[in-house]
Amino acid sequence: SFDEEVRVQCTCALAGLGEAGAKYEDRIVALLEDPSPLVVAAACYSLGALAEATKTSSTTIAAQVADCIKDKHPAIRGTAVGSLGKMGEEAVARLEDITQCFNDKVGYVRAQACQAICGCGEIGQMYAGEVARLLFDEDERVKLAAVTAIPKLGQRGAAFAEETAALLEDASAEVRVAAVKAIGNMQGFEAKALLPIIQRVAEEDEQDQVRSAAEAAAASMRALEDAAE
């Protein structure tokens, strides 16, 4: 309905106002009880965005957002877990709520969980193996989320450099670009060993955007290698 759309748009607009939008946080929280799933999802998104912008998060609000992960509607579950990942220490405190979403039946929720775990610091890095498993998910959105998350998980993520490199053969050019960028952003011996493969992709991939991404990644990797000598 028009009224539903207005509530969604207004709620999302508040998310972009930072400190000014945070003044209306209580009203956004109230929308977590809205009968419309789209409004509830918008409220979850906004609460996460405001927590990220203000660098503050409330235990009470985090608990209410975490409760939304149990919702039957996947848009609400996915947005809720993505929002938790932006809540700093509260994300770490609700790690179990985030990690259970790795096994959600809906790809959007699994993808959001991959991104959320990156907001959980060193403790979140312990779940690099779970993220690596999702590199081979049947849903392309999940693959993209996982391959984007892997280099953000420190040395534990870099340990899965070879698994990430397997996506350089993926049928999707978008996935191949993401894999190239992920390897280029990794640090450690595992990633360095893949430089010849990245150079080959830069020369041989059939898509211009993949070759360009590989050229940039190879240049970055060589520069890091030179700086370490």
Side-chain angles (χ1 to χ4, degrees), residues 48-197:
L50 289 173
E52 184 176 43
T54 61
K55 307 298 181 187
T56 59
S57 53
S58 157
T59 299
T60 302
I61 290 176
Q64 289 174 284
V65 171
D67 281 344
C68 291
I69 291 175
K70 305 180 184 76
D71 197 274
K72 65 180 181 180
H73 199 290
I76 294 176
R77 296 199 306 276
T79 311
V81 70
S83 178
L84 273 183
K86 298 175 182 177
M87 292 187 174
E89 292 182 2
E90 293 300 331
V92 177
R94 303 207 167 265
L95 197 60
E96 187 175 343
D97 293 309
I98 292 172
T99 57
Q100 73 179 30
C101 293
F102 286 137
N103 296 313
D104 195 276
K105 62 184 179 181
V106 176
Y108 170 66
V109 183
R110 299 195 299 276
Q112 288 293 304
C114 288
Q115 295 301 315
I117 204 69
C118 296
C120 296
E122 291 186 6
I123 295 178
Q125 293 177 10
M126 295 173 62
Y127 292 87
E130 284 293 306
V131 176
R133 174 175 63 82
L134 294 175
L135 290 170
F136 305 101
D137 196 277
E138 60 186 16
D139 189 318
E140 186 172 317
R141 294 173 301 176
V142 181
K143 284 185 188 179
L144 287 168
V147 76
T148 302
I150 277 288
K152 299 176 183 177
L153 298 175
Q155 289 299 319
R156 291 179 185 271
F160 295 97
E162 287 191 11
E163 287 80 357
T164 304
L167 294 185
L168 297 173
E169 303 295 333
D170 196 88
S172 165
E174 188 176 2
V175 170
R176 298 201 302 279
V177 167
V180 162
K181 291 181 177 179
I183 293 168
N185 288 329
M186 286 178 181
Q187 296 182 6
F189 174 78
E190 295 88 352
K192 287 182 181 178
L194 296 175
L195 178 56
I197 295 175

